[in-house]
Every structure is written in C-alpha cells, then in structure tokens.
Amino acid sequence: MTDFKIGVVGIPGKWSTEVLADAIEARTGFRLVIDMAAVSLNLTRNCLEFRDSAGVRHDLTELDALIVKKISAEYSPGSLDRLELLRVAEARGVRVFSSAESMIRLIDRLSCTVTLANADIPMPATLVTEDVTAACEAVKRFKAAVFKPLFSTKARGMCIIENTGDDAALEAAVREFVAEHPMMYLQQRLDLPGQDYGMVFVGGRYLCSYARVSGGDAWNTTIHAGGKYAPFEPSEELIALAQRAQAPFKLDFTTVDVALTDDGPIIFEVSAFGGFRGALEGAGVDAAAAYLDHVMECLA
C-alpha cells in the first residue's frame, strides 16, 4: 500500500474506468473517478476543481497523478479543450498519464495520420480534402472508400461510399458527408479477412496483441458493431512496425490498430487511450494492472 493519490479521468460506471479505479484503490487505498464535464478551471485561485456526484469538491492539482482512461464518451473538438485543462494540473506538478500534449496529437484523426505519414508508416491509401470533385475522383480510383469524421471512436460516423458508375449518385453521397464534415478524410476500403488487430504498448514497451473479428455482415470489426475479441500472436516484424508507429506519440498506454493485407501490414491508427477489455478477453492479459505498474514505477 502506498500513499499516492491517483485520480482516474474517465466515464463513471464504464467498465474500463472502474477496473482501473479498482486497481488503484487496491494498491493505494485512494479512489477518485473524474468526469471532465464536472471540472472547472479557476485561474483566479489557480486550481482545477472537480465536483463529484455527492457535491464534494476536489482540487486536482493536489493529486500526485491523473490517469486518463477516457476524456469524453465521444471525440469532438471539445475533447481538446478538456485536455487543455489537464495541462494546468501538469504545470502544477501533477503527473498526467499520458501527457496532455501527447493525447492532443491523437484526438484529431488528421493529426495522427500526418504524424504516421511523416514517420513512413504504411497506411491505407488516404485522401484529405474539402474538394468534392477530388473526393469523387478518389472514390472512382479506390472503387470504394471509407469516409471518416476527424473526431470519432469505434467507427461512429464512418460510412462507405462506392463507385457504382452513377456519377450523380456518387456526388450526392459525397456532398451529404461534406455537409456535416467539411474536411473530408477518406481511405480506400481494403479487402480484409474479417478481422484486424490491436497491439498494446505500455510505456513504449510491447505488452500483448489480440484480434477483433467482425460480427455478421458488419463492414468493421468494432465491438460496437458486433465484433468479438480473439487471440492473436504477431510476428516480431509486426511488433517492430507497431512499436515504430506508436513511438512518435510518447504515450504511456496505447493500442495500435493493425491489419494484414496482400501487400503487407498497414496501420489504421494509434489510440490516444487504448482499451483494457481486448487485452483481457483476447490475450488473457490484465492491461489495467500492467498500466498501473508502469505509473507506480514512474511516480516512485
């Protein structure tokens, strides 16, 4: 038992948030789950105040550390604002896992993609544009493309637009997407074998991998769409690629999303937060405990 006061930024009641809070309480005797919607930055008093469900106020700058399991239920530009608030805690000496600056670079899908591209990480053919004509031309080249919001998780808001030979229908579909997402992000839809992989890293060190297997007729493998977790043992070469992909972000905990194609492995994204359930159900690894070991090692 230690006397470290470590708070968990997450979604109260959600499995991963509560599992991490349970592990911290068992190790330290302290438990605090923080919903960022109830956090206020008071620059006059120079404090970052959280009001819990009982109305008790906690100054987060008085904690030893904050572990960010989830900054919001869904990614949005507002998620960036919440991370900015955590920079105040960092400036006051609170260790934030992962650092706010590292997470900020991953909330926006475009920022993640640009970093991966600059590091020569293989990804699906990608176009980012506000030009409807350029997007339509890309769909024709790709035959089918996955259009993705710049802020989203678990494939929410994504859609597939195919080239059926009807130019008017294609343009109408693209214009419907761009009406909600002015900066379009689209990737060639790849012919994958019904599964992709999550590769987990703690403090930059490889921990484990698991497969996500699509459920039914879903085009994506997310658990949100009915997918399930399964074991997966990657090659040393694939581990090295995933390690290289996550390295520029300097995260304390992350999952790298990988797929295997006929032309070799590709990286879809590096997660700002990563998940615990896939590691537990797919690989039999308690990733929450491994993450906490890392945090305690850093604090010590």
Side-chain angles (χ1 to χ4, degrees), residues 5 14 27 39 55 107 112 127 153 159 199 237 246 287 293:
K5 291 186 176 181
K14 288 295 185 179
R27 195 84 64 91
V39 172
I107 293 292
C112 176
L127 179 75
T153 59
C159 67
M199 303 182 68
E237 291 78 11
Q246 61 85 41
D293 286 342

Side-chain angles (χ1 to χ4, degrees), residues 31-298:
R31 183 189 186 92
L32 184 64
V33 174
I34 300 152
D35 181 352
M36 287 299 294
V39 172
S40 303
L41 170 61
N42 187 327
L43 289 176
T44 302
R45 295 175 50 208
N46 200 23
C47 69
L48 191 62
E49 194 172 72
F50 164 62
R51 188 180 67 254
D52 66 24
S53 58
V56 178
R57 298 177 184 272
H58 308 264
D59 184 356
L60 301 185
T61 65
E62 295 178 352
L63 301 180
D64 295 296
L66 290 165
I67 304 178
V68 184
K69 186 62 204 73
K70 200 75 171 176
I71 198 67
S72 55
E74 296 183 10
Y75 292 176
S76 70
S79 302
L80 299 177
D81 296 332
R82 290 180 171 187
L83 288 171
E84 287 292 343
L85 296 185
L86 296 183
R87 292 180 60 214
V88 175
E90 287 181 315
R92 293 283 300 277
V94 180
R95 180 70 185 268
V96 177
F97 297 87
S98 299
S99 74
E101 183 177 350
S102 294
M103 291 184 288
I104 284 170
R105 297 171 63 203
L106 282 166
I107 293 292
D108 183 338
R109 177 170 278 109
L110 180 54
S111 177
C112 176
T113 297
V114 169
T115 300
L116 292 174
N118 288 345
D120 294 322
I121 301 299
M123 294 180 290
T126 303
L127 179 75
V128 183
T129 184
E130 298 179 61
D131 186 338
V132 170
T133 299
C136 289
E137 290 173 348
V139 174
K140 290 178 180 179
R141 289 195 307 272
F142 297 160
K143 298 183 180 178
V146 182
F147 281 65
K148 303 180 177 183
L150 293 182
F151 297 90
S152 73
T153 59
K154 302 186 185 302
R156 292 184 180 92
M158 297 184 187
C159 67
I160 295 175
I161 299 179
E162 299 181 272
N163 177 27
T164 63
D166 185 335
D167 289 354
L170 172 58
E171 182 176 337
V174 171
R175 288 193 180 280
E176 182 179 353
F177 185 85
V178 78
E180 188 171 353
H181 309 285
M183 181 65 77
M184 291 177 285
Y185 179 110
L186 56 142
Q187 292 184 318
Q188 183 176 19
R189 185 185 182 186
L190 302 176
D191 185 17
L192 301 177
Q195 63 183 29
D196 56 17
Y197 311 101
M199 303 182 68
V200 183
F201 291 82
V202 179
R205 300 184 297 272
Y206 173 70
L207 180 66
C208 65
S209 295
Y210 55 88
R212 286 181 295 253
V213 183
S214 62
D217 297 326
W219 66 269
N220 66 75
T221 63
T222 64
I223 305 306
H224 179 72
K228 62 181 181 180
Y229 297 117
F232 172 63
E233 290 295 335
S235 66
E236 290 298 322
E237 291 78 11
L238 194 59
I239 293 173
L241 173 61
Q243 192 145 29
R244 188 160 64 86
Q246 61 85 41
F249 301 101
K250 297 179 173 58
L251 296 160
D252 289 292
F253 185 89
T254 188
T255 301
V256 181
D257 289 344
V258 182
L260 301 179
T261 75
D262 292 339
D263 297 322
I266 54 99
I267 303 295
F268 282 122
E269 67 178 13
V270 176
S271 171
F273 310 111
F276 298 150
R277 194 183 291 274
L280 185 61
E281 296 183 5
V285 173
D286 187 344
Y291 191 11
L292 184 54
D293 286 342
H294 167 73
V295 169
M296 299 296 282
E297 182 181 314
C298 291

Side-chain angles (χ1 to χ4, degrees), residues 11-23:
I11 310 298
K14 288 295 185 179
W15 184 82
S16 288
T17 297
E18 298 296 340
V19 162
L20 184 56
D22 288 345

